[in-house]
Amino acid sequence: CVDDGNEPSYMTANAVGYMFTHKSDCCQQHYNWNYEECLGISTTANSNLYYPDWEQDHICKKGGGQPQYMNNAIDVWMHDTINDCCDKHFKYKFDECVGTTGAAVPSTTPGSTNWYPDWEGSEDVCKNDGQQPAYMNTNPSQWMDT
């Protein structure tokens, strides 16, 4: 919501739906899901809780960098511990999420007979290069094939 006089003609033609005296009214009407950001309020709400970072690292983080929709549904998105967050949102790569190394060092080497699905790569193929995620090493019979 801006007050710069450059609104499109369809907004001035329907002023009741688009034009507001107060920025807060505009934000409430059109951006209620992200109200504080619309108003320009920087917030570090819930900075002591963990949240899933879908945009960058695909792990759980804390520090108040979560999107506003997560603050609006704390019971769904925010967690007291990193273990709870990783268990709920990144169970498939729990060890990586919580920052632990895998229980075992990969025993495969390029050209070995253990193949794994490479879901994180852009090729969507199975590989046997020994670079599988650590969680696959904890239960190779579930994740890898010969």
Side-chain angles (χ1 to χ4, degrees):
C1 295
V2 294
D3 183 15
D4 62 3
N6 293 321
E7 62 275 352
S9 59
Y10 73 87
M11 289 184 176
T12 54
N14 184 10
V16 172
Y18 293 104
M19 308 299 284
F20 299 88
T21 305
H22 303 285
K23 186 174 187 175
S24 59
D25 294 335
C26 176
C27 291
Q28 183 64 43
Q29 177 68 32
H30 297 288
Y31 299 101
N32 66 347
W33 54 271
N34 204 7
Y35 183 77
E36 287 84 7
E37 188 173 324
C38 178
L39 286 176
I41 299 171
S42 66
T43 179
T44 55
N46 304 310
S47 62
N48 61 325
L49 299 175
Y50 290 89
Y51 66 95
D53 174 23
W54 309 115
E55 300 297 320
Q56 294 178 358
D57 300 324
H58 303 280
I59 59 173
C60 290
K61 294 181 175 180
K62 77 174 187 177
Q66 69 274 6
Q68 185 60 41
Y69 73 87
M70 292 184 184
N71 288 325
N72 293 342
I74 295 169
D75 293 340
V76 175
W77 302 110
M78 308 299 288
H79 305 275
D80 291 325
T81 69
I82 193 167
N83 286 358
D84 290 345
C85 181
C86 292
D87 187 56
K88 183 167 184 181
H89 303 289
F90 297 107
K91 189 175 283 215
Y92 66 97
K93 60 181 204 173
F94 181 83
D95 288 341
E96 182 181 341
C97 180
V98 297
T100 61
T101 58
V105 175
S107 60
T108 58
T109 57
S112 73
T113 57
N114 291 325
W115 292 83
Y116 70 95
D118 182 26
W119 292 310
E120 294 179 0
S122 60
E123 300 168 357
D124 292 325
V125 297
C126 290
K127 294 183 176 180
N128 70 336
D129 59 5
Q131 301 299 311
Q132 65 273 5
Y135 71 89
M136 290 184 182
N137 296 323
T138 60
N139 190 357
S141 63
Q142 178 181 355
W143 299 108
M144 294 186 272
D145 196 6
T146 56

